[in-house]
Amino acid sequence: MAVLINGDGYSPVTAQQDADFFAGIFGQDLSVLDVGSNMAASIISATCVRIADGEAIVQGRRIHNDVGTYDDFDIPVGSQGTTKHYIIGYELYRDTDTKEKCRTFVQEVASATATISQSVIRDGATSAKISMYRVLKEGVNIESVTPMFNVRTALANNYPIGAIYMSVDSTDTT
């Protein structure tokens, strides 16, 4: 039976209803929105990467860092002559009360191109790791932090009012 979300007499919007709405707009893949610091990463020390404020949407779920806030990711201490690869990001999960929450994760991977398989919460998974950045550690130092996403700019920035866009190319322009 259909219901009017936020209609008079209807209980508050559930996490799944909210997620379905955003997934319908942005799709299931990771979208970092062009707000705040765009969840930019910076190397803080030989063992710390920081993700700044911003907004990400994945599987319709919103990952939000308030303006001026950040998350620190502790990368394991390295040793001279070794190369290690890590993926850092956020894990969406359901707690014991089945409320949806978010926490950070750092996971070592086998190579610079390795990925972490992503479960889908809507399909019944109790958690899903969302890969944000690849971290390369050479010896004791973090050498690079590479985003695994593109920042999604507002449609109005790409096509201002009055602009006409037409294409026969099947490429997604969002």
Side-chain angles (χ1 to χ4, degrees):
M1 175 171 108
V3 294
L4 176 61
I5 303 298
N6 287 335
D8 289 339
Y10 188 71
S11 62
V13 176
T14 67
Q16 187 59 58
Q17 290 164 336
D18 198 42
D20 286 347
F21 175 75
F22 284 108
I25 295 170
F26 296 100
Q28 294 292 325
D29 296 331
L30 176 62
S31 294
V32 172
L33 304 183
D34 189 17
V35 295
S37 298
N38 302 332
M39 299 191 96
S42 55
I43 299 170
I44 300 303
S45 70
T47 60
C48 183
V49 174
R50 178 172 288 169
I51 294 182
D53 62 284
E55 187 89 18
I57 298 177
V58 62
Q59 297 185 19
R61 274 83 179 159
R62 293 174 56 201
I63 300 169
H64 175 84
N65 278 351
D66 278 336
V67 64
T69 67
Y70 53 84
D71 287 313
D72 284 342
F73 294 78
D74 295 321
I75 309 302
V77 174
S79 57
Q80 293 292 356
T82 63
T83 299
K84 299 279 185 168
H85 303 276
Y86 298 91
I87 292 179
I88 64 173
Y90 294 95
E91 181 179 15
L92 311 177
Y93 68 99
R94 290 195 174 112
D95 69 5
T96 55
D97 296 326
T98 67
K99 292 184 179 175
E100 293 186 13
K101 296 188 176 181
C102 178
R103 60 185 165 215
T104 61
F105 80 88
V106 175
Q107 184 171 327
E108 185 176 347
V109 292
S111 69
T113 57
T115 59
I116 297 173
S117 64
Q118 182 178 310
S119 302
V120 178
I121 298 286
R122 193 173 204 288
D123 292 345
T126 56
S127 70
K129 288 186 174 178
I130 310 306
S131 303
M132 298 285 293
Y133 289 91
R134 293 182 184 281
V135 178
L136 171 63
K137 187 152 193 171
E138 292 284 354
V140 296
N141 295 314
I142 296 172
E143 290 294 318
S144 65
V145 180
T146 308
M148 299 177 73
F149 60 85
N150 292 317
V151 174
R152 184 183 285 253
T153 59
L155 188 59
N157 293 342
N158 294 330
Y159 306 103
I161 294 173
I164 297 173
Y165 175 81
M166 185 183 340
S167 174
V168 294
D169 187 355
S170 62
T171 304
D172 183 0
T173 61
T174 57

